[in-house]
Amino acid sequence: MSIHFTTERLVAHIQFNATKGVVVEDSSGYANNGIMQDGAIVVNFPQSKCGNAAYTYCGDILFHGDTFQAKPREGVTVAAFINLKDIEGSRSVFDTIGISHQCGQFHFEVNYGSVRWFHRNETQHIVFSCTAEGKQVPKGKSFEIGRASCRERV
């Protein structure tokens, strides 16, 4: 999973090959580490090109929004490989949280097969919300979500 500024600067790169307990380490240089919770685990796929991956069925990987370094201000680009057992309901790919509110800040998720990327600020105002149109995420197949970009509308 990678997160880029709109200026194409990498601000988080999670490869799932460096973990310490529930912490998945970021290799971007910003130490924007993720926290696995609610049953999320790292699994290995030795026969594939993927190597390690996160198994997040009934779990999440969270990034702490208050300490996230080089936080995107104008837009973001997200790339991830996912494989969903089920596409019913909302399936979180990742979220950030803050101490100012418990509703979350940045959310990247799949809702009933559609990819959704949005950001809610500390006053719970939606800064941006994008839902992909067209092809939906298939159930039970590896799927690349690449260059899913969203810019704040002024």
Side-chain angles (χ1 to χ4, degrees):
M1 173 185 325
S2 298
I3 305 169
H4 293 263
F5 266 121
T6 57
T7 58
E8 297 300 321
R9 184 171 60 174
L10 185 67
V11 296
H13 188 227
I14 308 297
Q15 296 177 302
F16 303 105
N17 58 6
T19 60
K20 291 182 181 173
V22 297
V23 176
V24 289
E25 295 182 339
D26 166 34
S27 62
S28 72
Y30 287 107
N32 289 321
N33 300 329
I35 306 293
M36 294 183 290
Q37 73 170 27
D38 299 332
I41 60 171
V42 172
V43 294
N44 184 269
F45 298 97
Q47 302 301 320
S48 75
K49 295 178 184 176
C50 282
N52 290 351
Y55 180 74
T56 59
Y57 191 72
C58 297
D60 296 302
I61 298 170
L62 300 178
F63 295 89
H64 202 287
D66 290 343
T67 59
F68 199 90
Q69 298 298 306
K71 194 180 299 183
R73 299 282 184 207
E74 296 176 5
V76 294
T77 300
V78 176
F81 285 94
I82 61 174
N83 186 321
L84 301 176
K85 284 184 151 188
D86 187 7
I87 59 170
E88 295 300 314
S90 179
R91 303 287 178 237
S92 175
V93 176
F94 77 85
D95 300 294
T96 62
I97 58 170
I99 58 173
S100 57
H101 64 88
Q102 297 302 309
C103 294
Q105 294 170 322
F106 287 94
H107 300 271
F108 188 53
E109 61 194 19
V110 178
N111 288 320
Y112 294 95
S114 294
V115 176
R116 181 175 183 224
W117 172 237
F118 74 101
H119 170 53
R120 181 184 307 123
N121 67 15
E122 62 279 350
T123 64
Q124 299 195 28
H125 171 76
I126 301 235
V127 177
F128 62 76
S129 180
C130 299
T131 302
E133 298 177 3
K135 188 174 181 180
Q136 291 198 326
V137 174
K139 175 181 170 181
K141 293 184 178 181
S142 293
F143 190 81
E144 180 181 7
I145 301 171
R147 316 259 333 141
S149 301
C150 194
R151 282 186 169 268
E152 180 179 357
R153 294 180 189 186
V154 181

